[in-house]
Amino acid sequence: MARQWIAVLAFAVVLVLTDAEDAATTPKPKKVLETVMNPAYIPAEEKHGSYWKKSAASTLKSKLKEKTNKNKARNGILFIGDGMSLATVMAARTYAGQLDRGLGEENILEFEKFPVTGLARTYCLDAQVPDSACTATSYLTGVKTKYGVIGLDGNVTRGSCHSQLHKGNWAPSIGQWAIENGLDVGLVTTTRVTHASPAGMYAHVSERNWESDVDVPAECLTLGCRDIAYQLVMDNPGRQFKVILGGGRREFLPNVTGFGNNTGKRVDGVDLTELWHVDKLQKNVSHQYVTDRLELLKVYNSDDLPEYLLGLFNTDHMAYHLKAEDEPTLEEMVEVAIKMLSRNPKGYFLFVEGGRIDHAHHDSLAYLALDETVEYAKAVRKARSLTDESETLIVVSSDHAHTMTVAGYPSRGNDILGVVDTTNGGDGRPYTTISYANGKAASIDTDGLRVDVTKEKGFTERSLDYAYPSLVPLDSETHGGEDVAVFALGPWQHLFTASYDQSVVPHLMAYAMCLTDDQHQNCHQPERLTEAASSAVSVYPYQLLLAQAVISIISCLL
């Protein structure tokens, strides 16, 4: 019996000594700022100051080699990551790096490699924190407007049909400016193509929710106010868009048309996809309407591309990338759009929205928000690979921020979607690195204490539908009011530095693309020849040179 007690006592002494040793090497912090980090590893080369000096020297050398590009931007592509705050960019960058088995923090998303960055202020005329309607009007028409309003200036009242009908209030988009200058135009989005952001390209509506006629009050319909879907198909500039890809079939179809368990919403009995077809027949132009990924890829691989392409891949918004079936990725849609639009020798303007970043944030679904951001970055990478930065201006930005934060002093390499590894909260419970200031998921449990996420199955199993804790309970997480980043690459990229109102963005792009009366010295560069035109040059070189000489002489005489 005595021997057993001696053994127990010896074991206890070992435990005490072990705890004492651990305490000596990793002291428990008395204050948050005394937190001791515990990274899985630190790359050996990064421990030496010479590494960082060489890195800085390399960056400086690269910056010094940059030359001011004042070419005419023959093409312009505007990417909007809906709800892509700077916190989202940081978290998505880390998430992508950890997917590739890296620490994460050192990873760089494609658009972060762009040489020029600025900051845009996002407020609406009447709102400190904006919505996607007033911001779309801002970055697409160059006019700030009121919350919930699209394509109209500040003289309107939200939901007022009279102010919508007054054309003096209309704010035309850069898409319309491009068409008026002979360029081709397209839009690509993962949301409904009638949603607030893409609607800024073509619609003039005093209520962003008027996506289908069933959403418009009867008295407004009587006065002649048209819904957003109708404006896209039947009015300029929407009907002139060469490429329209996204979701939202239900907004275009009558409520008697069935697609599985879904039906159209329209109560006017009109099938707008059929009217789109009729319009193109009347113009005697080739066109195609597709509804799934396979059909889109068939178009892409065709030797004879249609002049116009409409793709509606979901009755509602397109599915999240991690949940999608039979739907093209944003990257694939961008590739098709660029191939379609590149045929115009005068150039093109393309609007691309990664719209479901925003939707995931509204539901506090951080996992999905970060993945959608990574998919968005892939689309930017594809666009960059398919274009020439000497003649194509690519601008990447966001419409507004969200309330998601990345905080808590976790160690480097800690799971960005996990709990902080260095300490618990003051209540002794763990907490996540990512959290929301407000939203659907309560942070207080039924026992009155803060939720312990490590005991929630959705969190521990990394469910796509796990909602991260929110401080203020709301039916939907809100937008954030901080500035958003603007990344630029291509002709006149240097214009996008500094801090400015979001409404400046399309004016800067238009200047680079020579779409306005204020033109720079290179606006009259000769148009690039298409493949067909290049063939003609090789067959008839002397005739072409003679014709050019005659045109030059006549121009001088005039």
Side-chain angles (χ1 to χ4, degrees), residues 22-23 26-31 34-36 423:
D22 288 343
T26 309
K28 184 178 180 181
K30 297 178 181 179
K31 298 180 180 179
E34 296 175 358
T35 299
V36 177
T423 185

Side-chain angles (χ1 to χ4, degrees), residues 66-135:
E66 291 177 5
K67 294 182 179 180
T68 302
N69 180 354
K70 293 186 177 181
N71 293 341
K72 174 184 178 180
R74 197 175 69 87
N75 312 309
I77 305 176
L78 176 59
F79 279 88
I80 291 293
D82 198 317
M84 190 180 69
S85 62
L86 282 172
T88 303
V89 173
M90 178 273 168
R93 157 204 319 151
T94 306
Y95 164 77
Q98 292 178 351
L99 283 181
D100 290 335
R101 300 182 183 279
L103 290 169
E105 295 83 1
E106 73 289 345
N107 186 48
I108 302 175
L109 298 175
E110 183 65 29
F111 51 84
E112 294 183 280
K113 301 173 186 176
F114 285 15
V116 173
T117 306
L119 290 173
R121 300 183 288 274
T122 64
Y123 64 93
C124 305
L125 285 185
D126 58 349
Q128 194 172 70
V129 177
D131 77 325
S132 293
C134 81
T135 53

Side-chain angles (χ1 to χ4, degrees), residues 463-520:
S463 168
L464 297 179
D465 296 316
Y466 178 76
Y468 276 66
S470 308
L471 178 61
V472 179
L474 294 174
D475 63 339
S476 176
E477 183 266 353
T478 71
H479 295 166
E482 64 265 33
D483 294 356
V484 295
V486 182
F487 305 88
L489 171 73
W492 297 90
Q493 62 189 27
H494 56 283
L495 296 180
F496 292 84
T497 59
S499 173
Y500 38 79
D501 277 321
Q502 192 175 48
S503 53
V504 172
V505 170
H507 294 291
L508 298 181
M509 294 193 73
Y511 181 78
M513 298 176 70
C514 304
L515 301 181
T516 65
D517 293 335
D518 185 12
Q519 301 202 337
H520 55 78

Side-chain angles (χ1 to χ4, degrees), residues 158-159 164 192 194-195 205-221 225-230 248 250-253 255 264-268 316:
R158 182 175 182 179
Q164 174 176 324
R192 297 188 296 269
T194 52
H195 208 235
V205 61
S206 61
E207 173 52 68
R208 60 173 290 177
N209 293 315
W210 292 353
E211 295 186 50
S212 179
D213 68 322
V214 70
D215 305 313
V216 184
E219 60 271 21
C220 292
L221 290 173
C225 277
R226 295 294 189 178
D227 59 89
I228 296 173
Y230 185 94
R250 69 185 192 188
E251 315 298 333
F252 297 82
L253 302 172
N255 61 7
K265 288 179 59 179
R266 304 193 68 82
V267 293
D268 57 8
D316 197 354

Side-chain angles (χ1 to χ4, degrees), residues 362-513:
H362 278 306
D363 288 333
S364 304
L365 304 177
Y367 184 4
L368 289 176
L370 302 192
D371 186 77
E372 290 293 310
T373 306
V374 172
E375 288 299 301
Y376 171 81
K378 291 179 183 177
V380 175
R381 181 180 61 196
K382 176 60 67 174
R384 185 175 185 180
S385 72
L386 295 174
T387 56
D388 180 352
E389 67 182 75
S390 70
E391 65 170 12
T392 300
L393 173 62
I394 302 178
V395 177
V396 177
S397 189
S398 174
D399 51 353
H400 53 71
H402 270 274
T403 72
M404 189 198 84
T405 61
V406 182
Y409 300 126
S411 300
R412 183 176 173 187
N414 190 57
D415 182 2
I416 190 66
L417 291 168
V419 296
V420 174
D421 64 322
T422 53
T423 185
N424 290 333
D427 56 5
R429 293 191 171 191
Y431 62 98
T432 55
T433 304
I434 287 177
S435 61
Y436 290 87
N438 57 50
K440 286 185 174 181
S443 59
I444 305 301
D445 212 339
T446 53
D447 58 4
L449 300 175
R450 192 168 55 82
V451 171
D452 184 347
V453 295
T454 61
K455 295 181 179 179
E456 296 188 335
K457 185 177 180 180
F459 178 79
T460 57
E461 295 185 357
R462 192 54 59 81
S463 168
L464 297 179
D465 296 316
Y466 178 76
Y468 276 66
S470 308
L471 178 61
V472 179
L474 294 174
D475 63 339
S476 176
E477 183 266 353
T478 71
H479 295 166
E482 64 265 33
D483 294 356
V484 295
V486 182
F487 305 88
L489 171 73
W492 297 90
Q493 62 189 27
H494 56 283
L495 296 180
F496 292 84
T497 59
S499 173
Y500 38 79
D501 277 321
Q502 192 175 48
S503 53
V504 172
V505 170
H507 294 291
L508 298 181
M509 294 193 73
Y511 181 78
M513 298 176 70

Side-chain angles (χ1 to χ4, degrees), residues 501-549:
D501 277 321
Q502 192 175 48
S503 53
V504 172
V505 170
H507 294 291
L508 298 181
M509 294 193 73
Y511 181 78
M513 298 176 70
C514 304
L515 301 181
T516 65
D517 293 335
D518 185 12
Q519 301 202 337
H520 55 78
Q521 66 271 24
N522 291 322
C523 281
H524 301 290
Q525 290 177 345
E527 295 168 6
R528 190 189 66 153
L529 296 174
T530 60
E531 185 176 343
S534 297
S535 299
V537 171
S538 63
V539 177
Y540 304 108
Y542 299 111
Q543 292 90 329
L544 182 63
L545 289 172
L546 178 61
Q548 289 177 335

